[in-house]
Structures are given as C-alpha cells and as structure tokens.
Amino acid sequence: MNEKNESSARSTLENIVVPSLELKAKDLAVFHEKDVNTLVLRLEKNPALANLHQKVIDALRKYICWEETPPILAAHEQDNQRKSAYANYGIAFYGDFYQMHISIAQFSPSFQLNEDDQAVPEISWCADTFDFAKREISWQVVRSINFTQKR
C-alpha cells in the first residue's frame, strides 16, 4: 500500500463491524517464505474470523500498490485459483485458502519445527480487539479498536 493511502485505508477498516470472536488453538506450524520462516499458532476454523478476513481484504483491495506487492509464491504459480486470488487481491490466501493463524515469530529460512513440537494445549479465548498493523522491518501496530466499540 502506498503510504499516502494509509490514513484512508485505516478509515475504511474502522468501518468494519464484527462481534468479538471465540478462537481456539489448533497447533504450531511454520509458514515458509522466500527469505524468512514464520512460526504461527494455527487456529481452528472459525466462520466469523474467515468473514472478518474477507471483509478486510475486500476493503483494502482498492489500495493495492502493485509495485510494492510481492510476487506470488512459486509454489502457487501453477494453481489457477490461487493465481486468480492473487490477481484480484494481491494475495493468494483469500477465501478458502486463508489459513487462520496468529504469527508468533520470524526466523531465518533454515528454521524448522519438529513434528513433536507442533502440539499445543487446548486453549480458547475471546478476541475483542482488531489491531491494524503494517510490516516494515517487523510488524508495527498502527491502531487498535475494540470489536464492540461503536463507530
């Protein structure tokens, strides 16, 4: 996203209204990218979270800066559905391809997660805050709003 659109994009996102979300941990995983691996806590499928993700991506679509958008991952280049999602939204993880997760940490590409280390205790919680964050060197929260806050 072009920085000159950041304020407008934030205002657009502030108009998304969703209830608090009941989330449940599934397991740990590593998302592999070209130059970094991200350790994530994967979440159980949750229709309300999937709906929120789609609302955010749809709302931000008009702010896509294609010059700054990373190319589609090589692993997805032959998948026509992912290529279509990428062409429309600048991301191949839209809709059914969204993997519900919380990013925990980033590591060098050599980082691996042993299969024995993937299990997590049964935990669930209520998410009631929506953080707007942007990635520069690391993720920085720009603004937080309470899901139940009147807008």
Side-chain angles (χ1 to χ4, degrees), residues 43-60:
L43 305 174
E44 294 288 342
K45 287 194 179 279
N46 180 306
L49 181 57
N51 183 42
L52 172 60
H53 186 260
Q54 286 192 232
K55 284 182 175 183
V56 167
I57 299 298
D58 289 341
L60 293 177

Side-chain angles (χ1 to χ4, degrees), residues 126-138:
C126 178
D128 59 4
T129 304
F130 184 17
D131 287 338
F132 303 132
K134 66 179 181 177
R135 187 184 207 174
E136 290 178 353
I137 293 173
S138 62

Side-chain angles (χ1 to χ4, degrees), residues 22-141:
E22 291 293 327
L23 303 174
K24 184 176 179 185
K26 181 178 177 182
D27 60 11
L28 293 174
V30 175
F31 289 175
H32 303 278
E33 296 180 51
K34 181 180 173 184
D35 55 354
V36 68
N37 283 347
T38 303
L39 178 65
V40 300
L41 174 64
R42 291 195 302 187
L43 305 174
E44 294 288 342
K45 287 194 179 279
N46 180 306
L49 181 57
N51 183 42
L52 172 60
H53 186 260
Q54 286 192 232
K55 284 182 175 183
V56 167
I57 299 298
D58 289 341
L60 293 177
R61 184 176 182 191
K62 63 185 170 190
Y63 301 107
I64 296 172
C65 179
W66 290 104
E67 295 81 28
E68 295 178 8
T69 301
I72 191 168
L73 296 174
H76 301 143
E77 287 178 341
Q78 302 304 315
D79 184 326
N80 288 334
Q81 289 180 309
R82 284 189 185 260
K83 280 174 38 178
S84 176
Y86 177 84
N88 286 305
Y89 302 101
I91 185 168
F93 302 100
Y94 180 82
D96 291 339
F97 298 114
Y98 172 49
Q99 297 181 40
M100 298 176 189
H101 70 281
I102 297 171
S103 297
I104 299 172
Q106 292 184 323
F107 299 93
S108 71
S110 62
F111 175 78
Q112 298 296 321
L113 183 65
N114 296 324
E115 198 170 311
D116 295 341
D117 297 330
Q118 295 177 1
V120 295
E122 278 193 34
I123 54 173
S124 60
W125 66 97
C126 178
D128 59 4
T129 304
F130 184 17
D131 287 338
F132 303 132
K134 66 179 181 177
R135 187 184 207 174
E136 290 178 353
I137 293 173
S138 62
W139 286 99
Q140 302 294 319
V141 174

